[in-house]
Amino acid sequence: MKAISASLTAVTGVFLLGCTTGRSGLALDAVGPSPAQTAPARSTTGTLVVYSAYDVNADFNSRDPYRPEYSGYKIFTATGKLWQRVHNDTGTLLQGPASVVLPTGKYRVVARANGYGRVTVPIIIEAKRTTVLRLDGGGAWRHKLAFNQTNAVRLPDGRIVGWRATSNL
């Protein structure tokens, strides 16, 4: 009887621990710039904007410590080398996400997604174009009516993360 009770307690503990650790390790399809953007070819850089999940800790050094800020994230090269750590704040009164200028190419972003923990998103940076990731669980999309099942990258719950990459670079 003691053995059954101890086993039941251990199984319950493992189950509860699994529920509290949250989901992580989700990898999504590659995201690229909106197909509606046009770009001149004489550039070697593009821009990345990531609306990551809000940071859980207040930043009392910010202009408004009670306003939520987007959490930081990491950018890796296609080969897995850390390219940049991003403190995801513009430092302005509006406190929006940071715009990061990157050389054209393939990268991986590791960031927090609202309701999913850390996710990995391959991205494509194209010359003079902006790649946008929406991991915060909200916000408006320009040209939202143009999204469909084949051109949108989505979280498992259906929320749109970004435009499916059309370029292989």
Side-chain angles (χ1 to χ4, degrees):
M1 184 67 169
K2 287 183 180 182
I4 293 173
S5 178
S7 297
L8 187 57
T9 302
V11 169
T12 302
V14 168
F15 175 75
L16 291 175
L17 180 64
C19 291
T20 60
T21 57
R23 292 174 266 185
S24 65
L26 181 64
L28 301 173
D29 290 335
V31 172
S34 164
Q37 293 181 40
T38 58
R42 295 188 179 182
S43 178
T44 59
T45 62
T47 305
L48 172 67
V49 177
V50 178
Y51 294 84
S52 53
Y54 287 123
D55 205 348
V56 293
N57 298 318
D59 180 1
F60 293 106
N61 295 320
S62 71
R63 292 177 191 248
D64 182 359
Y66 301 105
R67 188 167 193 274
E69 293 180 358
Y70 295 103
S71 56
Y73 61 93
K74 295 177 185 174
I75 303 170
F76 294 88
T77 64
T79 59
K81 181 180 176 188
L82 178 64
W83 180 268
Q84 185 175 353
R85 293 176 198 267
V86 179
H87 176 72
N88 203 11
D89 182 17
T90 59
T92 65
L93 185 60
L94 298 177
Q95 293 180 304
S99 292
V100 179
V101 176
L102 295 168
T104 58
K106 296 179 181 182
Y107 299 88
R108 285 185 304 117
V109 170
V110 177
R112 284 186 38 239
N114 191 22
Y116 290 93
R118 295 227 177 265
V119 297
T120 300
V121 184
I123 60 163
I124 302 291
I125 299 296
E126 294 182 16
K128 292 273 192 176
R129 296 176 80 185
T130 301
T131 299
V132 177
L133 293 178
R134 297 282 331 205
L135 301 172
D136 60 342
W141 280 99
R142 292 183 70 185
H143 312 294
K144 184 171 183 168
L145 296 176
F147 280 114
N148 59 43
Q149 292 301 318
T150 61
N151 67 5
V153 175
R154 298 174 187 267
L155 289 169
D157 65 4
R159 287 182 285 160
I160 297 172
V161 170
W163 292 94
R164 186 172 308 281
T166 57
S167 172
N168 287 331
L169 283 179

